Amino acid sequence: MTTPRESPRRREVLDRLRAAAEPLGVAEAAERIGLHPNTVRFHLDALVAEGVVVRQVEEPSGPGRPRTVYAPRPGMDRRGTRSYRLLAQILLGQLASQGPGAREAATEAGRAWGGFLVDPLPPSPPPTAERAAARLVALLDDLGFAPEPEGGGAGEPPERIRLHHCPFLELAEEHGQLVCPIHLGLMQGALAELRAPLVATGLEPFAEPDSCLAHLSTRPAGPPASVPTLAPGG
């Protein structure tokens, strides 16, 4: 979609609206810019569709149709470039500067968010490992990991989950010592929230060139057990 940054004419229409003391109608805006009203209406409609201009209908002050006017949407311009990867790099770099405790801090952050993100199971009957594994796979799928359960028989949970996609791939390649513990922490936190007899015991980053491998294990029902953060070499 064309934006004001790409269209000097549309940018001019937006600038005129911002400079006006009150909302403008099509005819008024066209007169101030020196364009045909149909051209101005086209750009105004596009700006409304982009969410940067608001279309309003004024209260009628006499006979005739109510007047339609346009005004810039209040607040900061929400278009333009986002640099979320840079923000993530800044935060990961700061976390890494904490030294030996950074890895466990990353895992704990993942655990907290895993418990927050997973859809809870009904409190009764007690969750089975198989149901919890299915809910964990659904969460990983929603997050973009393209999970594939492996192992386990009929009525049993999978022994591992192969992750075919990493939604933070570039960051994992650069800061794997922190990003991968976050991933495992997400799984551990989700299973703990589900109070399931299942635990994520390890994660093998890039176990294959095209995938990572998360390992699961059943455990007796009760409080979550202490688990390692990453498979050796992760």
Side-chain angles (χ1 to χ4, degrees):
M1 178 183 295
T2 303
T3 68
R5 300 183 196 282
E6 298 166 347
S7 168
R9 187 66 71 190
R10 194 168 303 168
R11 167 59 64 181
E12 183 180 8
V13 172
L14 181 59
D15 289 342
R16 290 287 181 170
L17 291 180
R18 287 175 171 164
E22 58 186 15
L24 299 178
V26 172
E28 293 171 300
E31 182 178 355
R32 297 189 184 195
I33 301 171
L35 294 174
H36 192 280
N38 287 343
T39 302
V40 172
R41 181 178 288 105
F42 168 78
H43 288 299
L44 287 171
D45 288 344
L47 290 167
V48 170
E50 292 173 15
V52 295
V53 166
V54 178
R55 183 190 292 114
Q56 304 168 334
V57 178
E58 291 186 335
E59 292 292 333
S61 57
R65 298 176 57 184
R67 180 168 171 260
T68 300
V69 294
Y70 299 82
R73 184 178 294 278
M76 185 174 288
D77 190 343
R78 303 188 68 83
R79 297 158 298 132
T81 302
R82 297 288 192 271
S83 296
Y84 295 125
R85 181 181 173 187
L86 174 60
L87 174 61
Q89 289 173 317
I90 293 171
L91 296 176
L92 288 169
Q94 179 62 29
L95 183 59
S97 70
Q98 295 182 16
R103 195 182 186 98
E104 181 57 29
T107 307
E108 285 300 325
R111 288 180 186 137
W113 276 94
F116 173 76
L117 292 173
V118 71
D119 292 330
L121 288 168
S124 181
T128 64
E130 185 182 21
R131 291 179 66 203
R135 194 60 58 92
L136 175 62
V137 169
L139 171 62
L140 293 171
D141 192 42
D142 289 342
L143 294 175
F145 285 94
E148 179 187 4
E150 295 181 351
E156 297 180 351
E159 297 174 348
R160 54 197 170 271
I161 301 175
R162 189 170 297 278
L163 308 175
H164 291 282
H165 179 260
C166 178
F168 316 114
L169 180 59
E170 291 78 13
L171 293 171
E173 291 172 338
E174 184 177 353
H175 297 282
Q177 75 280 10
L178 297 177
V179 175
C180 296
I182 290 174
H183 292 169
L184 182 59
L186 282 169
M187 291 181 271
Q188 293 172 348
L191 292 173
E193 179 67 19
L194 295 172
R195 299 185 179 277
L198 187 69
V199 65
T201 58
L203 174 64
E204 294 182 62
F206 308 105
E208 300 290 342
D210 61 349
S211 62
C212 301
L213 200 59
H215 294 273
L216 305 177
S217 177
T218 57
R219 62 173 177 81
S226 176
V227 293
T229 57
L230 277 182

